[in-house]
Amino acid sequence: MEPVTERNNTLSNLHAATTRMEQLVNPKLVPPEGISFGFAIRGARDTGGIAAVKGGIKHSERGSAAAGLCVFGSDEPVVRIILTVMKFDPVMRSAAILQFSERALGIFENDLFLECTHLDASPANRGISTMDWGIASCCKDGVPDVIFRQGSSAAESRIVLLGERPADVANNIIICSNRILNSAL
């Protein structure tokens, strides 16, 4: 595929998944900084090959919406995660960072049968980002569908949902959102 066509398709797929998800995501899944959501071109080797929603998907009284456009080369947190994951499985090119909750993790693991792996950031190597090292350590035996970190506070607790395409990631977020909405909390 032509590089320009691939980049346009990547942006188009990410935008379509973002638009579909915006009003359907449960606010309990949206971290204070917003959902960081991205998608890489095939063979991406740096941030220039990964598109992300600039500013993430935020929640307000009117609902959830993208804070900015889908762009390449942004410094969104999901970009480094996708680059790390692609070193282990180049097919897994999309990811979203969600707010952690036991209920959401339970839905992903028990209802959707996704493989979930705990990120233990405590033994990080010096000179390597804790997130990069933690994601890599979770992928060494194969890339899971979900990587979660349950920190000492809500600000440190996140769920990283991985997929081949943004539509896959968005579908799992929408299903989880509906199950949270329809369950007694």
Side-chain angles (χ1 to χ4, degrees):
M1 183 181 299
E2 287 283 323
V4 171
T5 303
E6 171 125 20
R7 290 176 74 80
N8 288 339
N9 287 345
T10 299
L11 285 173
S12 177
N13 286 325
L14 181 60
H15 177 73
T18 301
T19 301
R20 183 165 174 263
M21 186 176 63
E22 281 178 320
Q23 293 301 316
L24 300 174
V25 67
N26 189 298
K28 294 181 184 326
L29 295 176
V30 181
E33 67 276 7
I35 295 173
S36 188
F37 190 27
F39 185 40
I41 62 170
R42 286 186 238 317
R45 296 183 189 268
D46 58 30
T47 59
I50 300 176
V53 179
K54 189 129 177 102
I57 300 168
K58 309 248 182 195
H59 184 76
S60 69
E61 302 87 41
R62 295 182 308 254
S64 297
L69 299 174
C70 299
V71 297
F72 282 98
S74 74
D75 61 351
E76 297 299 319
V78 76
V79 171
R80 282 194 349 259
I81 291 171
I82 294 171
L83 280 172
T84 302
V85 168
M86 285 181 67
K87 290 176 185 173
F88 294 90
D89 186 350
V91 174
M92 298 295 272
R93 300 178 3 221
S94 186
I97 303 173
L98 310 170
Q99 180 64 47
F100 176 87
S101 77
E102 290 286 345
R103 178 71 183 128
L105 182 62
I107 290 168
F108 290 134
E109 190 168 31
N110 302 319
D111 295 1
L112 299 178
F113 305 107
L114 299 178
E115 180 184 347
C116 300
T117 301
H118 178 259
L119 185 151
D120 181 11
S122 57
N125 294 336
R126 296 182 96 194
I128 300 174
S129 156
T130 300
M131 183 59 80
D132 293 347
W133 182 91
I135 295 295
S137 70
C138 290
C139 296
K140 65 182 177 222
D141 295 324
V143 175
D145 303 301
V146 174
I147 298 172
F148 66 96
R149 179 176 182 194
Q150 191 173 8
S152 58
S153 69
E156 296 176 354
S157 302
R158 296 289 180 264
I159 292 175
V160 177
L161 185 58
L162 303 168
E164 293 181 17
R165 300 170 311 152
D168 303 331
V169 174
N171 287 340
N172 285 330
I173 292 171
I174 292 166
I175 291 168
C176 183
S177 292
N178 288 334
R179 294 199 180 175
I180 289 172
L181 185 64
N182 295 322
S183 69
L185 294 178

